[in-house]
Amino acid sequence: MPTQEPSTIETSRLLLRPFREDDWRDVHAYASDPVVTQFLNFGPLSEDQSQALVRNLASFAQSPQASYSFAITTLADGALIGGCSLYRAGAPDGRAELLYLLNRQYWGCGYMPEAVRGLLNFGFLELDLHRIFGHCDPENTASARVMEKTGMAREGLLRRERWVKNQWRDVIVYAALSSDWNAAAL
């Protein structure tokens, strides 16, 4: 199983690359937005919190990987528009959690499904993962659509699973299996 993160993942319109510490202002543009972070258990972030987050994300590319985090940039102009990660909690057992955020200015343009397809392709073909899963709040229909558009299957509802903004929230779980993954669908 590979242990090195590639420097980049390229799709038709995007370049996913490791975060750099100087990305914090672009990350802050979306991580400080209360609409973007409304379904997350963190945020909106202060400038100091955004700087710390990016320092943490940038450090992932420099050590054995438990998490593979990428800045989502456009090929057309290099704008950093969001971030996505595969997080492998605990021992490397063939599973990873999919996480993503996108600047609200770029919602509805098809960028996130494109980035997620690239990340799934990387997870299954480069990391040899067996299962990649994600979750979203039932009210976050846009996130559910992203996972559905990328071929992930809805597996169920976990009731009162996450503590978000001072209340317990339900989550919908989606997953894709390597045996179902079709890289040609990219």
Side-chain angles (χ1 to χ4, degrees), residues 4-170:
Q4 287 284 71
E5 176 181 11
S7 57
T8 61
I9 298 170
E10 190 170 325
T11 68
S12 63
R13 299 180 297 160
L14 301 172
L15 180 68
L16 283 58
R17 61 159 175 81
F19 280 96
R20 300 183 301 247
E21 287 191 33
D22 64 349
D23 289 332
W24 78 267
R25 284 181 185 82
D26 293 321
V27 171
H28 186 67
Y30 61 84
S32 65
D33 185 335
V35 175
V36 172
T37 61
Q38 70 181 319
F39 297 112
L40 303 177
N41 59 3
F42 70 88
L45 300 183
S46 68
E47 285 189 358
D48 288 342
Q49 290 170 322
S50 291
Q51 288 174 344
L53 172 65
V54 172
R55 271 194 306 274
N56 188 40
L57 293 172
S59 73
F60 290 148
Q62 299 173 18
S63 62
Q65 306 295 132
S67 180
Y68 295 84
S69 295
F70 296 92
I72 302 170
T73 64
T74 61
L75 283 174
D77 62 7
L80 193 159
I81 63 172
C84 58
S85 299
L86 287 176
Y87 177 67
R88 300 173 72 176
D93 62 358
R95 295 180 300 148
E97 181 177 6
L98 170 68
L99 306 163
Y100 50 83
L101 272 179
L102 187 67
N103 185 315
R104 185 168 28 144
Q105 177 182 338
Y106 298 94
W107 288 4
C109 299
Y111 286 127
M112 192 50 73
E114 184 175 330
V116 168
R117 276 189 213 97
L119 198 58
L120 290 169
N121 197 46
F122 166 70
F124 290 129
L125 301 180
E126 299 296 321
L127 299 180
D128 197 28
L129 293 173
H130 163 69
R131 174 184 167 83
I132 298 174
F133 64 94
H135 65 272
C136 67
D137 190 290
E139 291 182 23
N140 191 349
T141 57
S143 186
R145 279 194 313 273
V146 165
M147 289 185 272
E148 290 165 0
K149 285 179 181 180
T150 60
M152 297 177 78
R154 181 179 168 150
E155 294 190 328
L157 176 75
L158 301 176
R159 298 179 320 138
R160 307 298 185 254
E161 171 70 11
R162 301 265 190 244
W163 183 251
V164 177
K165 311 292 192 262
N166 297 313
Q167 63 180 322
W168 288 104
R169 301 288 300 183
D170 295 347

